[in-house]
Each structure stands twice: as C-alpha cells, then as structure tokens.
C-alpha cells in the first residue's frame, strides 16, 4: 500500500548501531592503530562513570624520542630490544587522562601486563574490559590477574557480536 497524501512516514531507529562496549573497544583498537610496534599494537580507552572518554593511549616510545633511534626488536641484547623503552598503552592512557580515574573503566585490546595492572589499581580504576588474552600463559599476565583480583578490580573478556567495524574514507 502506498503513502496517502498528508500521511507522515515514520522513521524507525537504526538497528546496527554500535553498543557502548563496541564503541569503546573500537576506540581502543583505533588508538592501537597509531602504534608503530611491528608485532603487537595495543590500544586503551578509559571512560568515567558517565561514559565519557577521559584517556586514550597506545604502545609507543616516550614523547620526544625519535622513533628511528629506538629498536623494535623482540630478541637479542635486552638494551637493543623495544622492551625497556616502550610505554605501554594502558600507562599512556592513564598518563593522558584529563581527570581522576577513581571508579573508571579501562577498555584494552590486550589483557594488561603486571606493570600496567599495578598502575590501574593505584589510580582507582574498577574494571578492565579486554579483548585479546594472547599472552595469558606468561608469568607477567598471571601476576597481573593476581594484582587485579586482590584489588577487586573486575576483569571482563569482551565478546563482540559484530565480526568487524569498518570506516570508509571515500564517499
Ligand atoms: O600491558 C601491556 C603489555 C604490552 N604492551 C606492549 C609492549 C610492546 O610494545 C607490545 C608487546 O610486544 P610483543 O612483541 O608481543 O612482546 O605490547 C602494552 O602496551 N601493554
Ligand atoms: Zn603493560
């Protein structure tokens, strides 16, 4: 049946909009895309109790250090690897945040290491929502779980229904 003259066509809301979890985890992933680490790109997004984004970060070398002077290697002499120099995504998100992090939630693309877990606890973040747990067998991840559990920080593995989110820059 067609629309009669004077009849108003009622629009219904979009059904495939992003859930809050998909939105914040998506932002964590987008932030991770800024990372120059060739093997693991980590992103983090911190939100407050009103679902306002208050900090974002990714893994990279400290501000002001020339990317070209620093190593991205994973193996070899410790001082010639990335490990002593790279600032972790979670710590960058904490350091970049614009207000107190008490009772905030951190969305992370990868489960945080023990060093990040300590920082998460110390600033009062109450929940960690993570996507990948690819380093779960590492001792540093086991220690991290212990640190978060002891401090009663909730850990939630995010199950996402959508297979992917895409952004198109061409009309
Ligand atoms: O809590 C964490 C743990 C690690 N990262 C960063 C540090 C490195 O840049 C990579 C890990 O590299 P691998 O080659 O997979 O060892 O991830 C982080 O940001 N947050
Ligand atoms: Zn870390």
């Amino acid at each position: 049946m067609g629309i009669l003259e004077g009849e108003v066509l009622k629009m219904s809301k979009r059904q495939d909009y992003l859930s809050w979890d998909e939105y914040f985890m998506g932002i964590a992933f987008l932030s991770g895309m800024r990372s120059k680490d060739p093997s693991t790109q980590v992103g983090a997004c911190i939100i407050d109790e009103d679902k306002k984004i208050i900090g974002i970060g990714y893994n990279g070398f400290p501000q002001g250090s020339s990317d070209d002077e620093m190593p991205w290697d994973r193996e070899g002499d410790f001082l010639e690897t990335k490990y002593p120099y790279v600032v972790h995504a979670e710590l960058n998100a904490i350091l970049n945040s614009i207000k107190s992090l008490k009772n905030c939630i951190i969305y992370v693309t990868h489960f945080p290491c023990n060093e990040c877990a300590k920082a998460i606890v110390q600033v009062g973040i109450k929940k960690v929502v993570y996507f990948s747990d690819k380093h779960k067998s590492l001792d540093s991840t086991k220690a991290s779980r212990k640190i978060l559990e002891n401090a009663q920080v909730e850990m939630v593995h995010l199950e996402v229904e959508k297979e992917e989110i895409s952004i198109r820059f061409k009309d």
Side-chain angles (χ1 to χ4, degrees):
M1 207 166 79
I3 302 165
L4 300 174
E5 203 181 335
E7 209 173 36
V8 179
L9 184 64
K10 273 276 229 181
M11 300 280 282
S12 46
K13 72 174 180 189
R14 280 179 61 223
Q15 294 301 316
D16 64 341
Y17 58 90
L18 297 180
S19 68
W20 284 116
D21 280 339
E22 289 164 347
Y23 176 53
F24 297 128
M25 189 57 84
I27 288 169
F29 269 99
L30 196 63
S31 176
M33 289 171 79
R34 280 278 309 145
S35 175
K36 291 169 190 148
D37 189 326
S39 61
T40 308
Q41 301 82 46
V42 186
C45 172
I46 305 175
I47 60 159
D48 71 8
E49 290 171 291
D50 295 325
K51 295 192 166 59
K52 295 221 164 71
I53 295 170
I54 56 171
I56 293 184
Y58 58 88
N59 51 329
F61 295 129
Q63 226 173 61
S65 16
S66 158
D67 286 323
D68 304 319
E69 306 300 317
M70 294 293 208
W72 279 117
D73 299 85
R74 307 178 72 223
E75 279 158 18
D77 178 355
F78 181 63
L79 292 178
E80 301 302 324
T81 70
K82 63 185 170 183
Y83 295 110
Y85 311 111
V86 74
V87 184
H88 290 185
E90 300 86 333
L91 187 61
N92 264 328
I94 288 171
L95 296 171
N96 287 338
S97 62
I98 53 171
K99 59 174 224 184
S100 157
L101 299 179
K102 206 161 167 40
N103 295 326
C104 285
I105 301 176
I106 187 164
Y107 283 78
V108 282
T109 57
H110 297 70
F111 194 83
C113 74
N114 59 314
E115 293 300 326
C116 290
K118 286 185 264 184
I120 287 168
V121 168
Q122 289 302 79
V123 295
I125 290 176
K126 62 155 194 220
K127 185 170 170 181
V128 174
V129 182
Y130 62 96
F131 184 79
S132 163
D133 204 5
K134 80 167 183 174
H135 290 131
K136 72 169 169 224
S137 57
L138 296 182
D139 279 351
S140 61
T141 311
K142 290 179 188 161
S144 172
R145 282 194 181 276
K146 191 169 175 169
I147 292 163
L148 296 170
E149 241 164 53
N150 258 321
Q152 279 135 34
V153 175
E154 196 184 342
M155 292 164 266
V156 177
H157 178 236
L158 185 64
E159 306 283 350
V160 186
E161 268 182 36
K162 286 191 173 49
E163 233 165 71
E164 64 170 50
I165 299 171
S166 63
I167 299 172
R168 200 176 142 75
F169 285 120
K170 291 259 183 289
D171 285 341

